[in-house]
Amino acid sequence: MVVLAGVGIYIFRKQGIEMKKLICLLCMSLLNFAVGFSQTESEHLIFKGVPIDGSLECYVRKMEDAGFSPVETAENHVVMLKGDFAGFNGCRVSVVTTEGVDVVSSICVVFSEQEDWKALLSRYNYLKGMLTKKYGEPSSCVEELPDGDTSSILYWVRVDKCTWGTTYVLPQGTIQLFIENYGSDCHVMLRYVDKANSDLVRAKAMEDL
């Protein structure tokens, strides 16, 4: 009886260990499933916590809920908004669809004007650092001036002779950070181009060919 009891305890303990292994494996499987699901849950780029998708009216409403205020409708398929983004105040945001296809395909953020190159570059590098930390190393980075001339950098920016930008290519689309002339002023700009909806727009255009 003592031997049988000992064997029973051993089997129970062994089964207990196996049960723990089974529970651990089950938890790991559920975790992997959850991670995989979250990665494929949205096929769209995320801007301000909102997938870049849906009609222009619907998306603008979501941006209003996120704290932006519409300031003007530039065209039937572009709405301009203003608000805070990535810790910076007074950003202008363009929400863009394509004529004939009422689905948001790209977002462009124009940060406030900078009249000093060091301040402009500092903002650019700050955003670049955050994007790289979140999305990994950029797919491309071109930061050039004509003949390396740094004496009149803002002039080169204003006449569109400054190539200063970083691109992140993701499965959901492309994110571009760059310094550019906008309305004759110098700004850091950030553009999100959603792949799925850009492909949709392209397919629609091909139907007309």
Side-chain angles (χ1 to χ4, degrees), residues 26-39:
L26 181 60
C27 289
M28 289 177 65
S29 298
L30 289 172
L31 180 60
N32 289 334
F33 174 78
V35 171
F37 181 76
S38 64
Q39 289 175 342

Side-chain angles (χ1 to χ4, degrees), residues 30-148:
L30 289 172
L31 180 60
N32 289 334
F33 174 78
V35 171
F37 181 76
S38 64
Q39 289 175 342
T40 59
E41 185 178 9
S42 176
E43 61 177 336
H44 301 283
L45 284 178
I46 305 295
F47 176 80
K48 195 73 173 180
V50 179
I52 300 176
D53 192 26
S55 68
L56 183 60
E57 181 181 357
C58 180
Y59 196 84
V60 168
R61 192 160 54 245
K62 291 179 180 178
M63 289 295 96
E64 289 179 308
D65 292 340
F68 288 98
S69 302
V71 291
E72 63 179 297
T73 301
E75 301 176 43
N76 291 335
H77 51 279
V78 179
V79 171
M80 303 290 295
L81 306 102
K82 191 171 185 179
D84 302 338
F85 181 75
F88 294 97
N89 300 325
C91 299
R92 294 176 66 88
V93 177
S94 302
V95 181
V96 182
T97 63
T98 301
E99 190 171 1
V101 184
D102 187 18
V103 61
V104 176
S105 56
S106 66
I107 305 287
C108 184
V109 182
V110 181
F111 294 86
S112 59
E113 175 193 0
Q114 295 292 311
E115 297 182 354
D116 176 76
W117 171 251
K118 288 184 178 180
L120 197 64
L121 185 60
S122 175
R123 177 170 296 183
Y124 170 90
N125 287 334
Y126 174 76
L127 290 165
K128 180 181 175 181
M130 289 201 301
L131 288 167
T132 299
K133 185 174 182 179
K134 183 172 183 178
Y135 298 107
E137 290 300 314
S139 304
S140 63
C141 181
V142 180
E143 298 169 348
E144 299 177 338
L145 293 169
D147 300 322

